[in-house]
Amino acid sequence: MGGIRMLFGCHASIREGYSGAAKAAKAKNASAFQYFPKNPRSLSVKDYDREDAALCKAFCKEHDIFSIAHTPYPTSLTPRPEKQKLTVKSLLNDLEIASVCGSAGVVVHFGNPISSKDPLAGYQLMIEMLNQILSRSKEHCLILLENTAGYPGSMGTTMEELVQVRSLCQHPDRIGFCLDTCHAFASNLWNGDNLNEFLKKGEELGYFDHLKAIHFNNSKFPAGSGKDRHANIFNRGFITEKQFDQLVNAEPFRNLPFILETPSDEGIEDHEEIELLIHRWGMLQ
């Protein structure tokens, strides 16, 4: 009797190029990976190796490997005025690179508040930025909005916000979601014990219809802590194996890639953790 083959992976360096990142992921027995399309600490526009990016796409297609890109750390959808043009150029560059690499999308963190007097200002700027970027981009890959890890009630911690921002943009079909399990736990969106409520709300809002990837991380702090500190899945985290079992087996997640962003220097390396994930959940019935 057959089952569902789950996709597990990790972050991969582009030190040896985009095709090198794909090959490194395969060497770790990963069926999915994430990468920074350029220097993760800069918004500079990269004149990338198009041939190498095309080789990455071909390699992933040949070996049935899923990939997503992640914007550099300084990227914000609510940047200061002097950073807005640079941010638009940088994200257009990220989308182009990811598209040539054959990636499903580019993960972008949800924005931050920009005005204590006007709580809607941050959302309005996000929508303006997304409209600018997507009206100029001709690439097929998506912008994937990621939930944030703030305290409950912080900007970007609810599915309602994510869905609403997407729906108010001029090109909602070009926007999807990436769910970070540590962030969800930190913000009490999913606290390990409210899965049924979480699933019901996500289905009602249509959130799961546009969820494309999972950042699969445990949390070094309890639910509702607001702290973005990732832990390994089976080691030193506050999310239990039983709680992960329930999440992974839930219907909306059974065909999605789970990509680790966990520490590789705390007793377990990426390839070892991927093997544990495959052993535990590699084939669901």
Side-chain angles (χ1 to χ4, degrees):
M1 185 176 177
I4 297 173
R5 172 182 172 256
M6 297 295 287
L7 304 181
F8 293 112
C10 60
H11 197 90
S13 169
I14 62 165
R15 190 177 298 110
E16 302 298 327
Y18 304 113
S19 61
K23 291 172 183 175
K26 185 176 185 301
K28 295 177 181 180
N29 205 19
S31 49
F33 71 99
Q34 176 178 268
Y35 62 96
F36 287 116
K38 57 196 178 197
N39 183 345
R41 304 197 181 279
S42 171
L43 290 177
S44 61
V45 172
K46 181 174 181 176
D47 184 15
Y48 65 100
D49 186 334
R50 288 160 175 76
E51 183 177 347
D52 178 55
L55 287 172
C56 173
K57 180 178 181 178
F59 184 88
C60 290
K61 185 175 181 180
E62 178 184 356
H63 296 282
D64 197 19
I65 298 173
F66 175 96
S67 74
I68 52 175
H70 196 298
T71 54
Y73 297 123
T75 307
S76 171
L77 289 173
T78 51
R80 297 189 305 272
E82 66 272 17
K83 290 273 189 179
Q84 290 179 15
K85 288 185 178 180
L86 182 59
T87 300
V88 170
K89 288 180 180 178
S90 178
L91 257 163
L92 286 169
N93 185 224
D94 295 337
L95 284 166
E96 181 183 341
I97 294 170
S99 182
V100 180
C101 285
S103 302
V106 177
V107 177
V108 187
H109 290 162
F110 204 86
N112 298 306
I114 61 173
S115 171
S116 58
K117 296 180 181 179
D118 182 2
L120 294 180
Y123 301 102
Q124 291 166 345
L125 179 56
M126 277 188 69
I127 292 165
E128 289 173 18
M129 292 290 293
L130 288 166
N131 286 342
Q132 278 191 61
I133 293 159
L134 293 174
S135 65
R136 293 172 57 182
S137 172
K138 306 303 179 188
E139 313 304 339
H140 69 271
C141 71
L142 304 174
I143 283 181
L144 301 177
L145 298 178
E146 180 177 353
N147 58 304
T148 56
Y151 288 105
S154 301
M155 187 171 170
T157 59
T158 69
M159 290 184 283
E160 286 91 342
E161 293 167 275
L162 291 150
V163 169
Q164 186 75 328
V165 165
R166 179 185 181 276
S167 68
L168 291 174
C169 284
Q170 294 170 355
H171 304 278
D173 57 312
R174 306 277 304 284
I175 299 172
F177 306 123
C178 175
L179 176 73
D180 188 302
T181 54
C182 173
H183 296 183
F185 193 72
S187 67
N188 243 8
L189 173 62
W190 168 67
N191 61 24
D193 297 320
N194 67 339
L195 182 63
N196 289 338
E197 177 188 334
F198 172 71
L199 294 175
K200 182 180 178 182
K201 183 176 288 187
E203 185 175 345
E204 289 173 351
L205 292 169
Y207 172 82
F208 297 127
D209 295 338
H210 307 289
L211 182 61
K212 303 301 180 183
I214 307 293
H215 280 170
F216 201 35
N217 304 307
N218 209 322
S219 173
K220 290 186 176 182
F221 288 89
S225 67
K227 296 183 178 180
D228 183 10
R229 293 291 304 281
H230 299 183
N232 296 105
I233 298 301
F234 302 112
N235 185 27
R236 302 178 186 173
F238 277 85
I239 305 174
T240 68
E241 290 186 31
K242 181 180 178 181
Q243 290 168 335
F244 274 134
D245 256 332
Q246 294 169 343
L247 184 78
V248 173
N249 280 280
E251 191 62 35
F253 305 109
R254 291 168 69 88
N255 290 300
L256 293 175
F258 285 71
I259 298 175
L260 296 166
E261 293 180 318
T262 52
S264 58
D265 58 354
E266 296 186 4
I268 184 169
E269 296 183 13
D270 288 338
H271 69 93
E272 296 171 312
E273 196 161 15
I274 289 170
E275 287 300 329
L276 289 174
L277 298 181
I278 293 172
H279 178 73
R280 181 68 178 252
W281 296 300
M283 190 67 71
L284 298 182
Q285 297 300 322

